[in-house]
């Protein structure tokens, strides 16, 4: 039986890196792998080489959803996991000297005291993101992953069947003490006709996101800044996507004042509007706020 190895990545060292030669970026086929190794990575600790292999896996499996990107998933796990322990299981198959990433699976680890060893897939709130697993190797990936998890937790069980995506409850209005008072908001220009600007330059995205957050704080029933974890998620995700030119911010101004804004992730036909804010939005539902 092929030897199986287990690696937990806790920092900047790519635990299984020896032998990685970019093969994970190439196409793979249905031939059985000679051996399997599993890396468990905490959010924010997937190294760049593994992130590149992860995105190559998404391309091979036809997934273009920005919410399946490792930048989004890691940020959501750090800032929106609700206290659950989330890890990313990376399943590497090896044939000869070639090493290919065949699975990238976000997992929720059980509580060490009352979790009963049940391990299952994790999804961000409101997102129907499925584990990225190359179909020809699905059974082998699951078997290798379960074997390795049992080296950590005796009697661990693994169920990769996905329930309906979790939905964040409707946010309650934030007390006025948390809101930005109107007199603390400032105009960004003089009088003029309405205009819309799309900002894509990475060095301008941060300031544009702050303008979005100011508008949201002034007019939303439940401002994003009232939830520090959500505000951090918005800032981190847009910064990471902007670094790869995969983010855009639309700002609509009227008489020099920002009256509407939207955050977009992805590019071309795969871009999605992630967050929106506008004047007069206080009475509207904020389902688009779910992370």
């Amino acid at each position: 039986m092929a030897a199986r190895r287990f690696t937990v990545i806790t920092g900047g060292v790519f635990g299984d890196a020896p032998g990685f030669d970019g093969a994970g970026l190439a196409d793979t086929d249905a031939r059985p792998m000679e051996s399997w190794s599993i890396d468990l990575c905490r959010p924010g600790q997937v190294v760049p080489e593994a992130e590149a292999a992860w995105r190559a896996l998404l391309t091979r499996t036809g997934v273009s959803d920005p919410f399946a990107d490792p930048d989004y998933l890691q940020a959501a796990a750090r800032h929106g996991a609700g206290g659950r322990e989330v890890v990313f299981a990376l399943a590497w198959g090896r044939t000869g000297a070639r090493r290919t990433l065949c699975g990238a699976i976000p997992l929720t680890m059980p509580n060490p005291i009352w979790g009963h060893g049940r391990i299952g897939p994790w999804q961000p709130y409101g997102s129907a993101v499925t584990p990225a697993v190359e179909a020809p190797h699905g059974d082998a990936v699951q078997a290798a992953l379960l074997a390795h998890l049992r080296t950590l937790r005796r009697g661990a069980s693994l169920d990769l069947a996905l329930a309906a995506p979790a939905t964040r409850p409707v946010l309650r209005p934030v007390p006025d003490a948390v809101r930005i008072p109107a007199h603390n908001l400032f105009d960004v220009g003089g009088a003029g006709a309405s205009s819309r600007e799309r900002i894509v330059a990475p060095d301008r995205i941060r300031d544009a996101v702050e303008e979005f957050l100011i508008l949201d704080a002034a007019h939303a029933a439940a401002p994003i800044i009232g939830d520090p974890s959500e505000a951090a998620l918005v800032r981190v995700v847009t910064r990471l996507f902007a670094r790869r030119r995969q983010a855009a911010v639309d700002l609509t101004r009227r008489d020099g004042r920002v009256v509407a804004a939207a955050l977009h992730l992805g590019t071309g036909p795969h871009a999605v509007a992630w967050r929106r804010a506008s004047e007069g939005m206080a009475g509207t539902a904020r389902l688009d706020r779910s992370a």
Side-chain angles (χ1 to χ4, degrees):
M1 184 175 64
R4 292 181 175 133
R5 293 173 291 118
F6 179 75
T7 304
V8 177
I9 294 180
T10 58
V13 177
F14 192 22
D16 231 4
F20 179 82
D21 56 3
L25 307 181
D27 289 337
T28 188
D29 54 37
R31 291 178 299 173
M33 296 293 176
E34 297 171 1
S35 63
W36 290 93
S37 61
I38 304 293
D39 293 340
L40 291 186
C41 308
R42 295 182 177 87
Q45 296 180 340
V46 178
V47 299
E49 294 89 346
E51 286 188 355
W54 188 342
R55 292 190 179 101
L57 171 65
L58 294 174
T59 299
R60 294 199 305 272
T61 54
V63 176
S64 57
D65 186 350
F67 302 121
D69 187 272
D71 276 347
Y72 181 84
L73 289 176
Q74 290 188 88
R78 293 182 71 179
H79 300 289
R84 291 170 294 176
E85 181 184 1
V86 177
V87 299
F88 296 96
L90 305 182
W92 301 88
R94 187 182 295 276
T95 53
R98 178 177 176 178
R99 185 166 176 265
T100 305
L101 184 66
C102 298
I105 307 167
L107 296 174
T108 300
M109 302 300 288
N111 185 283
I113 298 176
W114 57 78
H116 304 296
R118 291 190 296 267
I119 300 170
W122 172 79
Q123 292 176 306
Y125 283 114
S127 299
V129 176
T130 58
V133 179
E134 210 149 23
H137 304 295
D139 292 341
V141 166
Q142 183 160 339
L145 179 55
L146 177 59
H148 291 313
L149 290 171
R150 284 178 173 167
T151 68
L152 286 183
R153 297 176 187 265
R154 181 179 300 176
S157 62
L158 177 67
D159 182 7
L160 294 185
L162 286 162
T167 301
R168 179 172 293 176
V170 175
L171 300 176
R172 297 190 300 271
V174 175
D176 287 340
V178 180
R179 294 177 177 275
I180 296 179
H183 63 270
N184 284 347
L185 301 174
F186 60 90
D187 253 342
V188 294
S194 293
S195 63
R196 175 176 162 178
E197 180 184 13
R198 168 157 290 196
I199 298 166
V200 296
D203 59 345
R204 296 186 60 204
I205 287 288
R206 185 185 67 175
D207 290 344
V209 169
E210 294 306 314
E211 291 197 80
F212 165 87
L213 291 173
I214 288 172
L215 179 66
D216 181 88
H219 297 283
I224 290 174
I225 63 167
D227 182 346
S229 63
E230 186 178 6
L233 176 65
V234 168
R235 290 181 170 115
V236 170
V237 167
T238 51
R239 173 176 56 81
L240 293 175
F241 274 70
R243 189 172 59 186
R244 298 183 290 116
R245 294 191 173 272
Q246 296 280 317
V249 181
D250 286 342
L251 298 177
T252 300
R253 291 184 171 89
R254 183 179 302 121
D255 296 328
R257 186 181 72 256
V258 176
V259 296
L263 308 181
H264 299 268
L265 301 178
T267 58
H270 307 303
V272 297
W274 181 37
R275 296 284 194 274
R276 293 186 177 90
S278 63
E279 290 188 349
M281 66 187 293
T284 62
R286 295 303 304 273
L287 296 181
D288 64 316
R289 286 269 304 278
S290 296

